[in-house]
Amino acid sequence: MSNTPIDFVVPWVDSSDPLWQESFAMHSKDAGLNTDFTAKRYRDWELFKYWFRGVEKNAPWVNKVHLITNGQHPDWLNLDHPKLNLINHEDYIPSEYLPVFSANPIELNIHRIKGLAEHFVYFNDDMFIKAAIKKEQFFKKGLPRDASVMNILDGKGISKIIINSVGILNEHFDKKQSVNSKPLNWFNLKYGKQVFRSALLLPWTQFSGFYDYHLPNPFLKSTFEEVWGCESDKLSATTARKFRHDLDINQYLFRYWQLAKNNFIPIAKHKLGDFYMVGDIPLDTIINSIKSSEKPLICLNDHDPEDLEHTIQELKKAFDTVFPEKSSFEL
């Protein structure tokens, strides 16, 4: 993989933009039941510059950074950076579906981005590279690195959407055949104690779900193209919904497709990073993790902290300790 280009893709929105707010207000009036457009889906924590600092310092090998926005960009961003490709929704999402206010259409159509490399890593803007990471921790021998751990979903929150993806997967793959063809992809000591999840769920004849690590996911663009070739109607239906809906499909379908197809190489994904629900986990624990170089990745999910402004300021202080210097992506 030394000479293979690997791109990063990350979406971002400025929910304080008056034009965005006007459009959001107009279209949200027509949102039906089972939709989700709560404030935390769009809230900016003023931490995005640290995402770029982490990329430059800890993944200098990245080929291109494709930043997806709704025609906006942070005012501190260096638009002339040679590795930056600023993408508007209208640049790759079919016009009949615009505008969109859900991450799902944004994710499902990534393969349409002009110039996107075959190998890319998809980030949310709350996922940061806080220590050095190698190409081989995302891809090896041309394949994504991942951990195929089975799981049961409870049908709450986002798992309703994930269940839709698992249902599609079971229409195209036979679980027994997937496991038997490459058993070490499914029962690998690298997965640690999580391997017991798969062992306990082995008697189930169909896939019941997968353990999701809430970390950046490596993808092959050709996987997106293959899935679209098989399920264009269902993917288009999600793209047509402007707000997140219980009937949606999300990016996990493409990840699960790679797993079921055994189109990946196992890695101890739990050792790559940590996931924190900020507002549910003690802030000191999160700050200590940000400052630690033990794991290269961290995801900070907005879980409505009681004192939002204090939380943001403390997180910024922690990141300033790790990344005190501007990156060349900043003006």
Side-chain angles (χ1 to χ4, degrees):
M1 292 297 299
S2 59
N3 296 320
T4 301
I6 298 174
D7 288 353
F8 289 170
V9 179
V10 60
W12 179 83
V13 64
D14 179 8
S15 60
S16 66
D17 176 15
L19 292 177
W20 182 91
Q21 291 177 348
E22 181 181 351
S23 181
F24 178 90
M26 180 177 65
H27 290 284
S28 61
K29 292 178 182 178
D30 300 323
L33 297 175
N34 302 315
T35 59
D36 182 358
F37 46 85
T38 51
K40 66 181 181 179
R41 300 293 171 207
Y42 312 97
R43 190 154 51 195
D44 181 18
W45 284 42
E46 303 172 18
L47 301 175
F48 197 36
K49 63 183 178 182
Y50 302 110
W51 186 89
F52 283 96
R53 293 183 189 185
V55 169
E56 181 165 274
K57 181 178 179 180
N58 297 314
W61 43 261
V62 68
N63 178 57
K64 284 283 185 182
V65 171
H66 302 275
L67 171 58
I68 301 172
T69 79
N70 189 27
Q72 312 152 323
H73 64 267
D75 56 11
W76 46 260
L77 187 65
N78 175 15
L79 299 180
D80 294 324
H81 195 286
K83 287 190 175 184
L84 179 66
N85 184 24
L86 185 62
I87 301 292
N88 295 343
H89 294 172
E90 63 188 24
D91 293 333
Y92 77 104
I93 298 176
S95 59
E96 61 266 30
Y97 301 123
L98 297 175
V100 295
F101 303 94
S102 165
N104 296 330
I106 292 169
E107 294 173 349
L108 298 188
N109 291 276
I110 287 174
H111 64 293
R112 304 183 194 276
I113 293 176
K114 186 177 181 180
L116 179 68
E118 166 67 4
H119 300 81
F120 70 92
V121 184
Y122 179 72
F123 291 74
N124 292 132
D125 64 0
D126 60 358
M127 298 174 178
F128 303 88
I129 308 177
K130 60 188 180 73
I133 195 165
K134 300 177 181 178
K135 278 186 173 185
E136 290 73 22
Q137 289 172 287
F138 288 123
F139 292 94
K140 186 176 182 179
K141 298 180 180 178
L143 294 178
R145 306 297 306 275
D146 212 330
S148 189
V149 176
M150 299 180 206
N151 198 18
I152 290 179
L153 304 172
D154 61 11
K156 298 179 181 179
I158 195 174
S159 71
K160 295 176 183 178
I161 295 173
I162 296 174
I163 287 172
N164 299 334
S165 299
V166 174
I168 292 175
L169 194 75
N170 282 314
E171 294 175 6
H172 293 274
F173 294 94
D174 179 272
K175 175 183 171 182
K176 184 177 181 180
Q177 184 178 359
S178 292
V179 174
N180 288 346
S181 62
K182 285 194 175 181
L184 287 180
N185 276 1
W186 301 85
F187 299 96
N188 198 300
L189 294 179
K190 292 178 180 179
Y191 303 159
K193 64 182 181 180
Q194 298 289 9
V195 76
F196 292 109
R197 291 176 180 262
S198 297
L200 292 172
L201 290 169
L202 190 59
W204 268 253
T205 57
Q206 292 187 311
F207 292 113
S208 58
F210 295 87
Y211 188 82
D212 296 310
Y213 292 84
H214 298 281
L215 295 173
N217 285 320
F219 288 111
L220 300 176
K221 182 169 67 173
S222 54
T223 299
F224 278 63
E225 294 167 344
E226 180 180 354
V227 177
W228 268 93
C230 296
E231 292 289 354
S232 61
D233 289 346
K234 293 176 182 176
L235 294 169
S236 294
T238 293
T239 304
R241 298 186 188 101
K242 298 188 180 302
F243 297 94
R244 197 168 91 170
H245 192 281
D246 289 349
L247 294 178
D248 280 357
I249 300 161
N250 69 1
Q251 57 148 320
Y252 286 126
L253 173 59
F254 305 110
R255 175 179 178 243
Y256 301 161
W257 195 278
Q258 291 177 163
L259 297 180
K261 197 175 179 180
N262 284 302
N263 209 21
F264 72 100
I265 292 179
I267 193 170
K269 199 160 185 175
H270 63 287
K271 293 183 178 181
L272 290 180
D274 290 312
F275 167 73
Y276 295 105
M277 300 181 75
V278 184
D280 189 47
I281 300 294
L283 187 56
D284 286 346
T285 299
I286 298 171
I287 288 173
N288 289 336
S289 180
I290 291 172
K291 294 179 179 180
S292 170
S293 59
E294 181 180 356
K295 297 180 181 180
L297 302 170
I298 190 170
C299 178
L300 305 178
N301 186 255
D302 187 340
H303 198 63
D304 287 326
E306 186 174 339
D307 189 339
L308 178 62
E309 185 56 35
H310 171 74
T311 299
I312 290 175
Q313 293 306 317
E314 291 302 306
L315 293 176
K316 288 170 72 174
K317 289 179 184 177
F319 275 114
D320 272 328
T321 301
V322 180
F323 304 115
E325 304 294 333
K326 284 185 177 182
S327 73
S328 59
F329 287 96
E330 299 170 66
L331 295 173

